[in-house]
Amino acid sequence: MAYDNFTILRSTAVPMPIENVDTDQIIPARFLKATERKGFGDNLFRDWRYNSDNTPKTDFVLNNPIYSGKILVAGKNFGSGSSREHAAWAIYDYGFRCVVSSFFADIFKNNSLNIGILPVQISAEFLDKIFKAIEADPKTEIEVNLPEQSITILATGEKESFDINGYKKHNLMNGFDDIDYLQAMKEEIKAFAANSPY
Amino acid sequence: MSTSPKTLFAKVWDAHVVKSIPDGPDVLLIDRHFIHEVTSPVAFLGLETRGLTVLFPDKTFATADHNTPTINQHLPVADPLSANQLKALETNTAKYGISHWGLGNPKNGIVHVVGPENGITLPGMTIVCGDSHTSTHGAFGAIAFGIGTSEVEMVLSSQCIMQPRPKTMRISVNGKLNKGVLPKDVVLYIISQMTAAGATGYFVEFAGEVFEQMSMEGRMTVCNMSIEMGARGGMIAPDATTFNYIKGREKAPKGEAWDKALAYWKTLHTEAGASFDKEYVFDAADIEPMITFGTNPGMGIGISKKIPVSHETGSGKSSYEKSLNYMGFHEAEPMLGKPVDYVFIGSCTNGRIEDFRAFASIVKGRKKADNVTAWIVPGSHIVEQQIKEEGILDILTEAGFSLRQPGCSACLAMNDDKIPAGKYAVSTSNRNFEGRQGPGARTMLASPLVAAAAAVTGVVTDPRELI
């Protein structure tokens, strides 16, 4: 599935200072029964966001109108657990384009990059600065600059750089994906596979 | 070519790199691709949208497991969404000529149980599946890991995925295991020491006397949970135990092909002097039967211990408190004697014959506690058959338990097997996340022996008292 390319994102952010947010929280298994990729945003963080009678939980950040934006800022080890890409789809479908944390689980990171969400891994210190800035002013704007590989708290100018491999950066900036790349090298793959003992 | 000593991981990985992209991932050839009903439909839809086809249909194997009922499997699936997903798998596999062991097929079962028991999983392979517990297959000396749906589409269409090469870690456990300590306890202990993110970015090799002495079922339990410390996967060097397990299984090589394969498999071990990015060494004597008290698999302790206070743990105070609040537990409380409402034995972690033998060893001659609802779910029809043939079913029935039909069941509660809100479950599965076993369910992860002890006493009980 093609996605919108990503260059510079300037947005307010939604803070979620919780550690070890696993993909069962992002989207519980009972919402994985669809055979198409649509509507997952409605069930993003379902059991943190809604009571069992489907009324919103007022103390959960996504139900707090003070916070909004295209950037989700979360505690360390975000996206652990199940490999369900539905977690990344739900985040994208809700409207986020970037998740910021001090640590990401591997599979979630891959899934995000594959569908056009940028996972930005920063130091624990800078993450704390962002949380504090949003706490002080929920309208705090954050700039995520992919070409420069930097993230900036615009009000104060505080800035940190982040890592991403050159291949994935190029893909995200141009909206390309791995499937196109692999299709282009199919003959090479067939020749390689011909020598496989399996 | 470099002559420096190689790790098991490097030998298998390097043999599969079609191309290395500078400042990017490796293009890795995949030998076996398992698919199931939940994470494959959108991948097949993607193929159609792009006008692509399946490159090597004979390298992909489908089974229905995540979303299947564990009673009355002969009847139509009642939930229309689940039925639709199962139908989609049937239609998609038929369209592209992919092997499909659907509901009712005698080979049906949990993907990570049926792959090995039918000889599809072999040493030296690369194996992927849209399921994080694909790491299970690493028990055979394969590089096996979970992938997302976009990657399922890549493998279907090109038999390759693009992966950054992970760093390597070796975890050795030396010495002899204590009485009542099962492979599940070993892995829960390792995760409790490593934390739920301690191996993120790494591929782990498990080594040392404990794993050398372990059965294939036990090795699968250990590798299965490597993802719970964040590892990309876990693997164990193949040896005589591995080869004996594989020999004669339906899809295993036979005759000359077997001899040739065996000669190669015997080369699959880490050479002396090979270096890892990280090494950890643990002592088997330090491990006792384990149980989890929190909401990630790293929050586990020896069953006789008390729940740690937050400053003794590596986690932030508010996250730790949130976790204990969810469980209804407090710092410094003992786990022994906590009430148990449900017991679940099954899943890709502990749904193999050895697990039911262990469970039966404790319930034999005892009765299920009245306050406990027990769900006993074999990992496959083959396991179900073994349970019957070995007389385990008779022991279970005599003790007041009944056997359900194979599937993932209460491990992720996609079907009707949900633990009710607020109830406590001792579960042999792999995740104690909030709501994992049903909205509001409270999970304590443990071994089949600990599950059996809870099932007959109705509270968290040290199984060593009942052995």
Side-chain angles (χ1 to χ4, degrees):
Chain A
M1 165 138 352
Y3 50 81
D4 297 335
N5 58 352
F6 193 116
T7 48
I8 297 170
L9 175 65
R10 194 179 271 212
S11 170
T12 51
V14 176
M16 194 175 288
I18 303 169
E19 296 171 5
N20 299 312
V21 175
D22 59 76
T23 54
D24 273 85
Q25 308 318 314
I26 300 173
I27 184 130
R30 63 186 189 279
F31 299 110
L32 308 185
K33 295 186 180 184
T35 52
E36 291 176 275
R37 186 190 147 181
K38 55 183 180 199
F40 287 102
D42 294 343
N43 294 314
L44 175 67
F45 293 112
R46 180 77 203 190
D47 293 335
W48 285 354
R49 197 167 144 201
Y50 297 103
N51 293 302
S52 51
D53 63 1
N54 294 329
T55 54
K57 291 185 178 177
T58 49
D59 59 350
F60 185 60
V61 68
L62 291 191
N63 295 323
N64 187 341
I66 294 176
Y67 301 106
S68 63
K70 292 185 170 184
I71 301 171
L72 176 66
V73 187
K76 73 175 177 193
N77 197 27
F78 187 84
S80 59
S82 160
S83 61
R84 60 189 69 165
E85 193 169 302
H86 311 65
W89 298 341
I91 288 170
Y92 191 98
D93 189 48
Y94 184 86
F96 292 116
R97 289 295 174 272
C98 174
V99 184
V100 177
S101 177
S102 57
F103 201 76
F104 288 95
D106 287 332
I107 304 179
F108 177 80
K109 197 192 283 182
N110 280 355
N111 287 343
S112 296
L113 288 166
N114 281 337
I115 68 158
I117 295 173
L118 178 63
V120 173
Q121 187 163 322
I122 54 175
S123 67
E125 293 71 34
F126 198 68
L127 182 68
D128 198 45
K129 274 185 190 165
I130 295 178
F131 280 136
K132 287 200 169 113
I134 300 171
E135 197 184 352
D137 176 11
K139 294 293 155 216
T140 296
E141 278 203 306
I142 309 285
E143 184 185 278
V144 177
N145 186 320
L146 180 58
E148 251 190 29
Q149 296 181 217
S150 68
I151 174 167
T152 309
I153 304 170
L154 287 174
T156 61
E158 288 167 292
K159 189 172 182 171
E160 193 169 278
S161 60
F162 62 86
D163 281 339
I164 180 170
N165 73 55
Y167 167 83
K168 278 291 177 192
K169 178 177 170 178
H170 179 76
N171 273 4
L172 274 177
M173 286 176 61
N174 295 286
F176 297 158
D177 72 14
D178 290 356
I179 296 170
D180 298 330
Y181 188 97
L182 291 168
Q183 281 304 306
M185 59 178 289
K186 221 156 151 182
E187 291 311 313
E188 205 177 327
I189 293 168
K190 279 188 196 164
F192 188 92
N195 293 317
S196 159
Y198 302 107
Chain B
M1 291 292 282
S2 155
T3 52
S4 61
K6 282 184 114 175
T7 61
L8 165 63
F9 171 81
K11 287 179 184 177
V12 180
W13 183 277
D14 292 347
H16 291 85
V17 176
V18 181
K19 180 179 177 179
S20 277
I21 299 170
D23 192 22
D26 286 350
V27 177
L28 209 59
L29 183 74
I30 300 303
D31 297 314
R32 289 290 179 272
H33 181 207
F34 293 105
I35 58 173
H36 59 83
E37 74 276 24
V38 176
T39 57
S40 68
V42 173
F44 282 108
L45 208 59
L47 290 186
E48 288 189 20
T49 310
R50 291 172 193 251
L52 301 175
T53 189
V54 177
L55 184 59
F56 296 123
D58 59 340
K59 293 185 193 287
T60 293
F61 296 83
T63 184
D65 56 3
H66 279 63
N67 199 2
T68 54
T70 55
I71 49 167
N72 295 321
Q73 289 186 348
H74 61 290
L75 299 176
V77 174
D79 173 17
L81 290 174
S82 302
N84 187 40
Q85 254 186 355
L86 295 171
K87 183 75 195 161
L89 186 66
E90 191 184 328
T91 311
N92 288 329
T93 50
K95 179 174 174 186
Y96 295 104
I98 293 168
S99 154
H100 174 228
W101 293 339
L103 204 56
N105 187 303
K107 294 288 177 64
N108 175 258
I110 303 174
V111 56
H112 310 309
V113 176
V114 303
E117 75 185 0
N118 288 287
I120 300 171
T121 299
L122 299 173
M125 283 181 163
T126 47
I127 300 173
V128 295
C129 173
D131 185 284
S132 59
H133 294 107
T134 308
S135 56
T136 310
H137 307 264
F140 291 80
I143 287 181
F145 53 90
I147 58 175
T149 297
S150 295
E151 292 168 313
V152 172
E153 190 179 337
M154 286 174 216
V155 181
L156 289 171
S157 58
S158 71
Q159 205 57 41
C160 286
I161 56 171
M162 307 181 72
Q163 291 290 301
R165 188 186 180 103
K167 291 177 280 187
T168 57
M169 178 186 290
R170 179 162 59 188
I171 296 178
S172 303
V173 185
N174 298 320
K176 265 183 81 83
L177 292 175
N178 294 315
K179 180 181 125 178
V181 174
L182 297 186
K184 180 64 166 289
D185 299 307
V186 174
V187 73
L188 283 174
Y189 174 81
I190 292 171
I191 300 164
S192 76
Q193 300 299 302
M194 300 291 302
T195 80
T200 302
Y202 291 86
F203 214 99
V204 174
E205 180 178 343
F206 295 101
E209 203 182 341
V210 162
F211 303 111
E212 287 162 15
Q213 301 296 320
M214 204 176 263
S215 68
M216 285 316 295
E217 284 85 353
R219 292 178 190 182
M220 284 188 253
T221 299
V222 170
C223 289
N224 172 278
M225 288 194 72
S226 22
I227 179 71
E228 308 309 338
M229 52 183 171
R232 205 69 187 84
M235 65 199 304
I236 294 173
D239 60 8
T241 305
T242 323
F243 309 140
N244 290 337
Y245 178 97
I246 297 168
K247 195 165 190 180
R249 292 194 184 256
E250 186 183 321
K251 294 191 185 292
K254 310 269 181 335
E256 258 182 57
W258 170 263
D259 296 336
K260 197 175 164 200
L262 191 62
Y264 172 54
W265 297 344
K266 285 181 174 171
T267 70
L268 297 175
H269 53 82
T270 292
E271 290 160 10
S275 69
F276 290 82
D277 296 304
K278 259 190 188 168
E279 286 239 35
Y280 292 91
V281 180
F282 298 108
D283 186 348
D286 294 338
I287 308 175
E288 66 166 329
M290 297 285 294
I291 193 157
T292 64
F293 58 89
T295 56
N296 73 58
M299 301 174 80
I301 47 173
I303 197 161
S304 67
K305 303 275 196 314
K306 289 179 176 164
I307 296 173
V309 292
S310 71
H311 67 77
E312 296 168 0
T313 71
S315 39
K317 195 171 165 60
S318 64
S319 295
Y320 191 74
E321 279 171 0
K322 182 178 188 298
S323 185
L324 289 192
N325 281 342
Y326 180 84
M327 291 300 293
F329 292 161
H330 301 94
E331 295 178 339
E333 282 177 348
M335 286 302 288
L336 288 173
K338 292 237 177 258
V340 175
D341 306 300
Y342 283 76
V343 168
F344 170 57
I345 170 161
S347 85
C348 58
T349 310
N350 282 123
R352 298 180 184 82
I353 188 60
E354 205 170 81
D355 303 314
F356 297 95
R357 285 180 195 141
F359 189 86
S361 73
I362 283 197
V363 305
K364 187 176 185 178
R366 296 190 170 93
K367 293 285 179 198
K368 183 183 81 62
D370 290 337
N371 61 308
V372 167
T373 302
W375 289 334
I376 301 178
V377 186
S380 70
H381 282 302
I382 291 178
V383 174
E384 182 184 22
Q385 202 54 38
Q386 284 174 297
I387 288 172
K388 290 175 180 167
E389 284 166 9
E390 294 188 11
I392 294 172
L393 180 58
D394 298 332
I395 294 169
L396 295 173
T397 309
E398 181 66 26
F401 296 94
S402 57
L403 188 64
R404 299 174 79 91
Q405 290 170 300
C408 297
S409 182
C411 174
L412 84 166
M414 263 196 91
N415 67 0
D416 291 338
D417 306 348
K418 291 178 173 60
I419 311 291
K423 297 291 183 189
Y424 288 99
V426 171
S427 177
T428 67
S429 54
N430 40 57
R431 289 188 173 134
N432 49 352
F433 297 152
E434 285 185 32
R436 170 79 178 183
Q437 297 197 283
R442 293 157 157 173
T443 302
M444 294 173 272
L445 299 176
S447 77
L449 286 179
V450 172
V456 296
T457 61
V459 295
V460 173
T461 300
D462 191 331
R464 292 171 292 193
E465 290 169 14
L466 304 181
I467 293 172

